[in-house]
């Protein structure tokens, strides 16, 4: 028997639970403020990039992607990885898709996706932007779960993913629920904050009007939006987009858009149940006429029914009206914090600034290394007869290298490049190309040094690239915002007027 060490159970439970809680918060449920991703999403996109599944490449089975992520980076269940991958490909879940799915990825009716052996996927153009420049030493790598390989701590994220796509997650003792926004508005706000770091949240709201959900709908009132942007927490009321039409001498309520994350099939079942129990009286029939052209739920009313009253009852008792509770909680340097709009944008700007610094330093190092080699080759071309004589008169390669270095004051790298030089480089055209390349490199080195010379220059690169990269994804708002506050329904608004004795 080994040594028995007495432990205070209270202290042990405290430490174990705290370790577990921090693991859930940092490693699973809360997104990073820099790239807006949870670890599972980051690992899926990184793994797809490593497999060469970029947006222009052929689709590959989701089973292959899930297996790759599970084996290399994500030590949890394969189903949790597939569920996360599926969500990234659902146009009713994500405002801007990160995965381009091929096959059955579920529906707004709550239908499950097909098994991973039947579906295929590749990265979307947004995902390409998330991994842009990752090979240029822009991010820090950390060991994976078994220390056998490395994975990125964060993605370079040239797309403002956190604000554009939002996030939701439940950790231990805390939760996050960040709304998606229109990327054109987000980019306008980020560039405005780069131009004026002292900008107020009210001024930022001139650019970002409010959340923009993938399923559309109508946001009632701006108070909830203002509170969420200023404090990081707020309640936003969303209604379905409905119209009243005349059909066969009856009024019909037509639903074309639902609030975010509302299951269409469950909603129809709930309405039918309310009609059956008599809570809502004016409905004759409900039909789901949705097709590939869009959503269309037709609620046929009785001849005696008044559409406004039935609508009020539906908004009051069903998910045709919901509340989105905003909690802008994200990890900042590994610490969970509730952030207002300006802080969220500020963290993203700082992160992109760091990425541009790192990338520029990497490109400068590579350009200087290449220029150094070209300098050696150009010296050799100017003295080619003597170089050939030295090489022919040497007993072996190390001897030739040493003699070249001594004669022309070359570095070992330059001498090796001369010894590796092919005979075709001796032609006048090839010689001209080398000089041309060297001149271009000098211009590149000057430009890169200019960028690194000041923070302002780096910020201008951040600004210009953000606009150029995100512009192809600019689109119109889907969610309408109306200024009127939602009315608190009086009992009279929910009751049909009838003659009583």
């Amino acid at each position: 028997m080994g040594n028995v060490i007495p432990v205070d159970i209270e202290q042990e439970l405290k430490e174990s639970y705290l370790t577990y809680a921090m693991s859930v918060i940092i490693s699973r449920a809360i997104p990073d403020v820099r790239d807006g991703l949870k670890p599972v999403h980051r690992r899926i996109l990184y793994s797809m990039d490593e497999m060469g599944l970029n947006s222009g490449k052929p689709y590959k089975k989701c089973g292959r992607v899930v297996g790759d992520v599970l084996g290399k980076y994500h030590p949890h269940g394969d189903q949790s990885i597939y569920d996360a991958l599926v969500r990234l490909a659902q146009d009713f879940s994500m405002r801007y898709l990160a995965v381009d799915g091929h096959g059955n990825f579920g529906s707004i009716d709550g239908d499950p996706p097909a098994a991973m052996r039947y579906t295929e996927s590749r990265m979307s153009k947004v995902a390409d932007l998330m991994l842009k420049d990752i090979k240029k030493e822009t991010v820090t790598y950390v060991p994976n779960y078994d220390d056998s390989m490395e994975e990125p701590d964060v993605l370079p994220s040239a797309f403002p993913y956190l604000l554009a796509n939002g996030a939701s997650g439940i950790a231990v003792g805390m939760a996050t629920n960040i709304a998606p926004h229109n990327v054109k508005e987000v980019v306008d706000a980020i560039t405005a904050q780069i131009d004026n770091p002292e900008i107020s949240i009210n001024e930022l709201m001139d650019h970002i009007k409010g959340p923009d959900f993938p399923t559309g709908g109508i946001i009632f009132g701006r108070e909830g939006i203002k509170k969420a942007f200023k404090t990081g927490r707020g309640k936003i009321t969303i209604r379905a987009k409905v119209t009243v039409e005349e059909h066969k001498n009856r009024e019909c309520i037509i639903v074309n858009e639902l609030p975010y994350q509302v299951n269409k099939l469950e909603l129809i079942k709930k309405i039918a149940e309310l009609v059956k129990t008599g809570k809502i009286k004016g409905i004759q029939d409900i039909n789901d006429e949705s097709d590939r052209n869009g959503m269309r739920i037709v609620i046929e009313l009785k001849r005696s029914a008044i559409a406004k009253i039935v609508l009020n009852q539906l908004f009051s008792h069903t998910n045709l009206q919901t509340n989105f509770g905003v909690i802008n909680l994200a990890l900042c340097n590994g610490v969970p914090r509730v952030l207002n709009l300006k802080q969220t944008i500020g963290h993203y700007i700082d992160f992109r600034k760091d990425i541009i610094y790192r990338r520029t330093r990497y490109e400068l190092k590579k350009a200087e290394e290449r220029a150094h080699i070209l300098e050696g080759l150009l010296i050799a071309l100017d003295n080619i007869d003597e170089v050939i004589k030295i090489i022919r008169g040497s007993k072996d390669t190390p001897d030739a290298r040493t003699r070249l270095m001594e004669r022309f004051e070359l570095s070992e790298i330059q001498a090796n490049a001369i010894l590796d030089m092919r005979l075709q480089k001796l032609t006048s055209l090839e010689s001209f190309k080398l000089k041309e390349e060297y001149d271009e490199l000098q211009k590149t080195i000057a430009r890169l040094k200019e960028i690194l010379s000041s923070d302002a220059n780096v910020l201008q690169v951040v600004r210009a690239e953000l606009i150029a990269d995100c512009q192809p994804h600019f689109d119109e708002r889907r969610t309408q915002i109306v200024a009127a506050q939602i009315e608190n329904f009086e009992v009279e608004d929910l009751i049909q007027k009838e003659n009583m004795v």
Side-chain angles (χ1 to χ4, degrees):
M1 279 180 71
N3 292 334
V4 177
I5 302 167
V7 174
D8 177 19
I9 191 164
E10 187 181 341
Q11 187 60 30
E12 183 63 27
L13 280 171
K14 267 184 191 171
E15 287 176 8
S16 299
Y17 191 73
L18 195 61
T19 305
Y20 162 71
M22 287 310 294
S23 170
V24 172
I25 289 164
I26 292 167
S27 305
R28 293 180 84 163
I30 308 296
D32 195 297
V33 74
R34 296 170 293 175
D35 64 0
L37 296 170
K38 299 181 194 177
V40 66
H41 299 129
R42 189 177 300 120
R43 287 162 179 164
I44 288 168
L45 296 183
Y46 178 65
S47 192
M48 289 176 92
D49 185 57
E50 289 288 286
M51 292 169 73
L53 289 181
N54 304 88
S55 60
K57 302 290 173 62
Y59 295 91
K60 285 235 168 41
K61 262 190 186 179
C62 290
R64 274 189 70 177
V65 178
V66 170
D68 206 60
V69 176
L70 181 67
K72 292 179 179 176
Y73 310 115
H74 198 65
H76 303 293
D78 59 346
Q79 196 55 47
S80 68
I81 298 168
Y82 185 53
D83 288 347
L85 189 150
V86 162
R87 186 174 160 76
L88 293 177
Q90 291 176 332
D91 60 3
F92 52 88
S93 295
M94 307 300 291
R95 184 64 179 82
Y96 299 94
L97 298 182
V99 170
D100 180 3
H102 195 227
N104 172 16
F105 279 80
S107 75
I108 199 166
D109 285 336
D111 301 317
M116 66 181 89
R117 61 183 178 275
Y118 300 122
T119 55
E120 296 180 328
S121 63
R122 65 182 178 190
M123 293 160 69
S124 70
K125 286 184 167 63
V126 164
D128 288 345
L129 289 177
M130 295 297 290
L131 285 125
K132 183 186 172 190
D133 299 326
I134 196 165
K135 302 271 194 300
K136 294 185 177 180
E137 297 177 3
T138 49
V139 294
T140 306
Y141 280 74
V142 293
N144 71 338
Y145 64 90
D146 63 356
D147 289 349
S148 62
M149 57 203 314
E150 291 191 319
E151 59 177 310
D153 177 41
V154 67
L155 298 186
S157 191
F159 184 85
Y161 193 91
L162 186 66
L163 280 169
N165 263 338
S168 64
I170 299 169
V172 179
M174 60 184 69
T176 186
N177 203 28
I178 302 170
H181 299 84
N182 184 283
V183 77
K184 183 181 184 304
E185 295 179 4
V186 171
V187 169
D188 287 347
I190 294 170
T191 52
Q193 190 159 322
I194 289 172
D195 294 340
N196 174 20
E198 303 304 314
I199 194 169
S200 69
I201 291 174
N202 284 338
E203 287 171 312
L204 285 172
M205 286 180 67
D206 292 338
H207 301 286
I208 301 184
K209 308 298 181 193
D212 190 23
F213 298 105
T215 51
I218 300 169
I219 293 174
F220 268 77
R222 291 197 169 89
E223 281 309 307
I225 298 171
K226 281 180 189 170
K227 194 177 174 195
F229 282 168
K230 287 180 178 177
T231 67
R233 292 177 183 269
K235 190 174 79 171
I236 295 169
T237 302
I238 319 163
R239 273 187 176 182
K241 194 172 184 182
V242 297
T243 53
V244 178
E245 293 178 8
E246 194 77 32
H247 186 63
K248 293 179 185 173
N249 296 329
R250 293 176 193 270
E251 282 190 315
C252 293
I253 295 168
I254 312 296
V255 182
N256 298 116
E257 293 174 8
L258 290 178
Y260 187 44
Q261 293 173 329
V262 169
N263 182 313
K264 175 157 64 75
L265 191 63
E266 291 299 319
L267 174 73
I268 292 168
K269 280 182 185 173
K270 176 71 177 172
I271 294 171
E273 190 186 309
L274 289 167
V275 171
K276 193 175 175 183
T277 56
K279 270 197 172 177
I280 298 178
K281 288 185 175 171
I283 294 174
Q284 178 76 31
D285 198 11
I286 311 169
N287 290 307
D288 185 1
E289 297 179 4
S290 307
D291 57 21
R292 66 181 62 194
N293 298 318
M295 185 184 297
R296 184 179 163 87
I297 304 168
V298 180
I299 301 169
E300 204 174 306
L301 305 184
K302 292 176 179 174
R303 281 198 171 87
S304 59
I306 297 167
K308 186 176 187 300
I309 288 173
V310 175
L311 258 177
N312 286 346
Q313 290 174 330
L314 288 169
F315 287 141
S316 180
H317 297 304
T318 74
N319 278 343
L320 279 181
Q321 178 180 306
T322 62
N323 290 320
F324 186 91
V326 174
I327 309 169
N328 283 333
L329 182 85
L331 293 174
C332 307
N333 300 318
V335 179
R337 295 195 186 287
V338 176
L339 304 166
N340 64 32
L341 180 63
K342 188 176 176 183
Q343 289 168 332
T344 307
I345 291 173
H347 280 292
Y348 181 72
I349 292 169
D350 291 343
F351 173 60
R352 283 301 297 167
K353 203 167 85 173
D354 182 51
I355 294 290
I356 299 301
Y357 262 120
R358 286 180 171 212
R359 186 190 73 192
T360 309
R361 280 197 292 264
Y362 171 84
E363 288 175 347
L364 181 61
K365 182 180 77 175
K366 290 293 178 187
E368 286 175 339
E369 284 171 2
R370 178 64 182 157
H372 180 65
I373 289 169
L374 288 177
E375 282 166 4
L377 293 177
L378 290 170
I379 288 169
L381 287 171
D382 289 342
N383 303 276
I384 192 65
D385 294 333
E386 193 178 348
V387 167
I388 291 169
K389 189 178 174 186
I390 290 170
I391 293 170
R392 289 191 68 183
S394 304
K395 65 176 188 288
D396 56 17
T397 305
D399 182 39
R401 184 190 303 122
T402 305
R403 289 173 68 185
L404 284 171
M405 287 165 67
E406 286 170 357
R407 169 65 187 85
F408 298 108
E409 296 181 353
L410 301 171
S411 69
E412 190 176 335
I413 292 168
Q414 288 173 321
N416 283 333
I418 291 166
L419 291 169
D420 293 337
M421 186 169 65
R422 295 165 67 179
L423 288 173
Q424 71 184 39
K425 296 287 180 194
L426 301 179
T427 64
S428 57
L429 182 63
E430 287 293 328
S431 176
F432 174 74
K433 280 183 181 173
L434 286 177
K435 285 174 183 156
E436 202 175 45
E437 186 188 349
Y438 181 72
D439 291 340
E440 280 300 314
L441 274 173
Q442 292 306 313
K443 289 178 191 170
T444 302
I445 289 166
R447 179 178 60 81
L448 294 172
K449 284 182 174 174
E450 175 67 20
I451 291 169
L452 291 171
S453 66
S454 76
D455 266 9
N457 292 345
V458 174
L459 281 171
Q460 284 313 304
V461 175
V462 171
R463 189 185 193 284
E465 287 194 4
L466 181 70
I467 295 167
D469 289 336
C470 295
Q471 206 153 25
H473 304 284
F474 286 179
D475 57 3
E476 294 300 316
R477 279 192 69 87
R478 296 183 192 175
T479 302
Q480 187 184 341
I481 301 172
V482 294
Q485 286 291 345
I486 206 86
E487 66 267 27
N488 289 318
F489 300 123
E490 299 294 332
V491 176
E492 288 80 7
D493 295 332
L494 306 174
I495 298 173
Q496 184 83 20
K497 284 189 171 61
E498 294 177 82
N499 292 327
M500 305 295 284
V501 175

